[in-house]
Amino acid sequence: MTLKLNSAGILGLGYYVPEKILTNADIEKLVDTNDEWITERTGIKERRICAPEQATSDLALIAAQRALEDAKVSAEELDMIIVATISADSNTPSTACILQEKLGAKNAAAFDLSAACSGFVYSSAIATQFIETGVYKKVLVVGAETLSKFVNWEDRNTCIIFADGAGAAVFGVVEDGYGVLSFDLGADGSGAETIEIPGGGSRHPADQESIDNHMHCLHMNGKETFRFAVKAMGSTVIKSLERAGLTKEDIDYLIPHQANIRIIQSAAKRLHLPMEKVFVNIEKYGNASAASIPIALAEAEQEGKLKKGEIIALSGFGAGLTWASCIMKWAKED
Ligand code: COA
C-alpha cells in the first residue's frame, strides 16, 4: 500500500557547466588517442572542466540558485537538500551541508547520496516520497560532479569520458495526476569493481602506495560497463512504465544518462524510440555522472522540448552497479 496525499513533480530546473572547454584535440596532447576514435566510440567531442579552485559545491550552488529562481521558490522555503555526487568536496561533511550554508537554506535538512550516475534519479525518488506523503513541501535535488579531479589524466580509458557540471531540480506539489508517476531503482553490488575509486576510503586509506597507483582516481572496465549499460538502460524504463500502467508507445521524450552515444542509441532502439525523441548533449559535455541527467533535463526544458502533459522518461546507470529510471507526466508550463 502506498500513502499518497499529493502529486510530486518538478517546479524548477537549473544547470551550470564550467567555462573551460577541453576538446578531443586537447586530449590528444595528453594520451595516445585521437578525435576520430573518441567521437566514433563515445559520441563525445568536448567536455567542461572546472577551475582548480572550484569544488563540487561551487558548481552545485549556481545550478541550485538557477533552479530556485526558475521555480520561484526561496532558499528558506526548502525543507530538504539532497546532493547526488561521487566527487564530494570532502568525505565529511556532506556537500549538501556546504550547499545549504551557501544558499542560506537554513530550514533544510541536508545529505549526500552516492549512487553514481543513477544518483539524480535515486534522489528524485526520495524527494518524491517526502512530497507525496505531505511531510515536506519543497525539496532541492542536485546532481553535481568535479570528476576531472578524480581522473588519472594518463589513463585514456577514462580521461576521454568523464567531465564536470551540475544540474538541479526543485520538487514540490503539482497538479493532481501530474509529476512523478513511477520509478525503478536497482543495484547489483557483484559489479562493484566495474567502476570504482579504490583508494582513499577505509578499505585502503590514503598512503604512498595509493597515490603512486592512482587509487584515488576512477578505474573502469569499459567493456563490462558497456555490456551492463545496454541492458540496464532500457529494461529499467520498461519496469517504470509497467508500474505507471504505460507502454513504450506512451513515451514522448527520453532523457538518458549521457555516458556513451552507442549506449543511448541501443536504449532508444529497445524502447522503439526514434532519436528525435531522445535528448543528447554528450558531444558538448561528456559524462558528468550524477550531473548528467539534470543538466540534460534543464537543457531540454530550455530548448522547449518538454511540454506540459507529456510523458517523460529519465534513465540512468552507473557505478555500484546501479540503475534507475523515472516516468513523469510533465507538470511545468512551457
Ligand atoms: N583512444 C584510442 N584508442 C583506444 C582508446 C583510446 N582512448 N582506448 C582503447 N583504444 C584502442 C584499444 O587499444 C584497442 O585497440 P586494438 O583493437 O588494437 O587492441 C581498441 O581501441 C578497442 O579497445 P576497447 O577497449 O575494446 O574499446 P571499446 O570499444 O570497449 O571502447 C570505451 C572503450 C571505454 C569507449 C567503451 O568500452 C565504453 O564506452 N564503455 C562504457 C563506459 C561508460 O559508459 N562509462 C560510464 C559509466 S557511467
Side-chain angles (χ1 to χ4, degrees):
M1 198 186 88
T2 52
L3 172 65
K4 184 169 168 175
L5 295 179
N6 302 310
S7 288
I10 290 177
L11 308 178
L13 287 163
Y15 75 98
Y16 167 76
V17 288
E19 285 70 36
K20 184 177 171 190
I21 296 173
L22 190 76
T23 65
N24 290 348
D26 295 328
I27 292 192
E28 281 177 23
K29 293 177 199 138
L30 303 174
V31 289
D32 180 16
T33 190
N34 58 76
D35 174 45
E36 197 191 342
W37 193 96
I38 301 173
T39 307
E40 195 183 296
R41 300 287 174 122
T42 70
I44 302 168
K45 296 295 284 181
E46 57 188 44
R47 67 286 291 145
R48 299 301 177 100
I49 304 293
C50 67
E53 67 278 9
Q54 279 180 312
T56 295
S57 65
D58 300 320
L59 277 54
L61 176 66
I62 304 173
Q65 285 168 331
R66 290 176 178 171
L68 286 168
E69 194 182 321
D70 187 43
K72 300 186 180 60
V73 167
S74 71
E76 292 81 14
E77 285 177 79
L78 292 175
D79 299 303
M80 188 161 78
I81 297 172
I82 312 173
V83 174
T85 187
I86 55 164
S87 49
D89 286 22
S90 64
N91 263 347
T92 197
S94 69
T95 299
C97 282
I98 310 275
L99 178 64
Q100 187 239 28
E101 161 64 11
K102 286 182 177 174
L103 279 173
K106 54 183 190 301
N107 301 310
F111 64 94
D112 287 359
L113 184 140
S114 175
C117 311
S118 312
F120 178 79
V121 180
Y122 261 73
S123 304
S124 299
I126 295 172
T128 298
Q129 306 313 298
F130 278 92
I131 308 274
E132 284 186 349
T133 51
V135 174
Y136 286 152
K137 293 269 179 298
K138 305 277 187 314
V139 179
L140 173 69
V141 175
V142 186
E145 304 284 8
T146 50
L147 297 177
S148 63
K149 302 199 184 196
F150 295 85
V151 156
N152 172 2
W153 288 99
E154 291 167 8
D155 174 17
R156 69 177 181 172
N157 190 37
T158 51
C159 77
I160 59 165
I161 290 175
F162 294 109
D164 303 338
V170 178
F171 281 78
V173 177
V174 296
E175 227 173 298
D176 247 6
Y178 282 76
V180 177
L181 303 182
S182 65
F183 53 82
D184 174 57
L185 310 178
D188 177 5
S190 71
E193 288 174 8
T194 310
I195 313 169
E196 62 171 346
I197 297 178
S202 59
R203 178 67 57 201
H204 199 131
D207 60 11
Q208 197 55 51
E209 185 203 351
S210 71
I211 293 168
D212 291 346
N213 294 331
H214 298 284
M215 289 173 74
H216 305 84
C217 294
L218 279 154
H219 292 243
M220 180 182 75
N221 180 333
K223 279 210 187 313
E224 275 299 313
T225 307
F226 196 93
R227 263 197 295 273
F228 156 70
V230 290
K231 265 201 240 145
M233 279 275 257
S235 55
T236 182
V237 173
I238 290 166
K239 276 195 203 144
S240 281
L241 283 167
E242 279 167 11
R243 284 179 195 150
L246 298 172
T247 66
K248 292 172 198 168
E249 286 66 37
D250 294 311
I251 300 177
D252 290 303
Y253 213 67
L254 172 69
I255 311 277
H257 169 44
Q258 308 287 312
N260 181 309
I261 190 65
R262 292 182 294 145
I263 295 172
I264 294 173
Q265 284 163 343
S266 85
K269 200 165 159 204
R270 179 108 194 262
L271 296 169
H272 300 163
L273 282 173
M275 284 307 283
E276 304 86 79
K277 289 189 169 194
V278 181
F279 191 77
V280 177
N281 62 8
I282 190 170
E283 69 286 355
K284 295 188 289 186
Y285 301 141
N287 177 350
S289 192
S292 150
I293 290 177
I295 291 173
L297 195 56
E299 266 204 348
E301 215 241 346
Q302 277 181 13
E303 291 175 17
K305 298 226 156 84
L306 313 178
K307 306 267 183 270
K308 189 170 178 190
E310 283 188 347
I311 298 297
I312 311 298
L314 312 184
S315 180
F317 67 91
L321 297 164
T322 56
W323 59 89
S325 63
C326 172
I327 305 294
M328 295 185 193
K329 184 169 180 180
W330 200 242
K332 260 181 115 242
E333 300 286 348
D334 297 341

